[in-house]
């Protein structure tokens, strides 16, 4: 299979769980896709804060993340690993439609930050935070990630398990992650905006 074109790749977009999605790992989940190609997909769930403070597992990064200053559960895979996702201030111009390949460096990008899509990139958490943090905007740290094998996500999309929408830099650091599912749907200019009113208990619909 040939490599996916920029148009077909969903890297940088959001997967918003449909109300009928039964997997408890992804109930009302909003997933930011960090990688999507013919070999599979990888992303982090943006709206699963845990009670664990950042300082409890990565003391050097404590106080340097967006509020709430806790670790988020990025997904059910590799919960013992940590991923840092940050927004680079002033890089919103490299939003959807940019010709820069995912993961390629941008001019002036600090060492330890790798662009994923638009203003969003991955942070090397082994870098000394005092060198990298001042250059970053909002930062979130995730334990684990969500992963799909080749063709698996495409099958789930065809079954209607997810809605695919554009991400915004502010999604990464939403101060109210518990409201993110409804907020992302509500801003869509389509019938998806109506899904935002779906009750938490489907039996009430």
């Amino acid at each position: 299979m040939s490599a996916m074109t920029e148009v077909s790749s969903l890297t940088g977009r959001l997967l918003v769980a449909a109300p009928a999605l039964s997997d408890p790992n992804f109930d009302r989940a909003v997933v930011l896709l960090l990688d999507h190609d013919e070999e599979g997909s990888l992303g982090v769930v943006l709206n699963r804060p845990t009670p664990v403070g950042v300082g409890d597992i990565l003391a050097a990064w404590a106080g340097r993340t967006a509020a709430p200053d806790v670790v988020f559960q990025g997904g059910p895979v590799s919960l013992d690993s940590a991923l840092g996702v940050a927004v680079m201030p002033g890089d919103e111009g490299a939003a959807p439609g940019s010709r820069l390949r995912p993961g390629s460096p941008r001019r002036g990008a600090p060492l330890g930050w790798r662009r994923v899509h638009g203003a969003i990139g991955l942070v090397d958490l082994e870098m000394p935070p005092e060198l990298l943090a001042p250059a970053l905007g909002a930062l979130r740290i995730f334990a684990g990630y969500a992963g799909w094998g080749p063709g698996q996500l495409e099958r789930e999309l065809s079954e209607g398990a997810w809605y695919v929408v554009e991400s915004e830099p502010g999604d990464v650091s939403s101060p109210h992650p518990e409201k993110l599912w409804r907020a992302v749907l509500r801003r869509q200019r389509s019938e998806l905006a109506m899904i935002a009113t779906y009750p938490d208990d489907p039996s009430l619909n």
Side-chain angles (χ1 to χ4, degrees), residues 7 12-13 18-19 21 26 60 77 79 86 89 93 98 100 107 118 133 137 144 149 166 177 180 184-186:
V7 173
R13 293 188 179 179
L21 183 58
F26 298 112
V77 183
L79 289 172
S98 168
L100 203 60
R107 185 174 300 173
E166 296 293 342
L180 188 60
V184 169
L185 288 172
R186 195 175 293 121

Side-chain angles (χ1 to χ4, degrees), residues 27-169:
D27 180 45
R28 303 296 172 98
V30 178
V31 178
L32 172 66
L33 280 176
L34 301 173
D35 193 25
H36 175 240
D37 58 26
E38 69 276 7
E39 297 180 0
S41 308
L42 182 150
V44 289
V45 180
L46 297 179
N47 56 337
R48 290 281 193 278
T50 74
V52 180
V54 170
D56 294 334
I57 63 166
L58 291 169
W61 290 93
R64 299 179 186 270
T65 60
D69 189 26
V70 298
V71 176
F72 280 60
Q73 184 175 335
V77 183
S78 296
L79 289 172
D80 57 347
S81 64
L83 283 173
V85 180
V87 173
M88 181 61 60
D91 203 28
E92 287 80 358
S98 168
R99 292 292 180 183
L100 203 60
R101 294 181 57 192
S104 59
R106 80 174 178 95
R107 185 174 300 173
L111 187 66
W113 184 85
R114 182 173 65 85
R115 178 183 178 273
V116 170
H117 181 84
I120 300 168
L122 287 168
V123 174
D124 181 356
L125 295 174
E126 295 184 359
M127 286 282 292
E130 61 271 15
L131 297 180
L132 181 57
L136 300 176
L139 168 67
R140 275 271 154 80
I141 293 176
F142 299 89
Y145 61 89
W148 293 263
Q152 184 181 0
L153 178 57
E154 285 73 15
R155 287 192 295 273
E156 293 183 11
L157 291 174
S158 68
E159 294 166 358
W162 302 95
Y163 309 121
V164 179
V165 302
E166 296 293 342
S167 63
E168 295 182 359

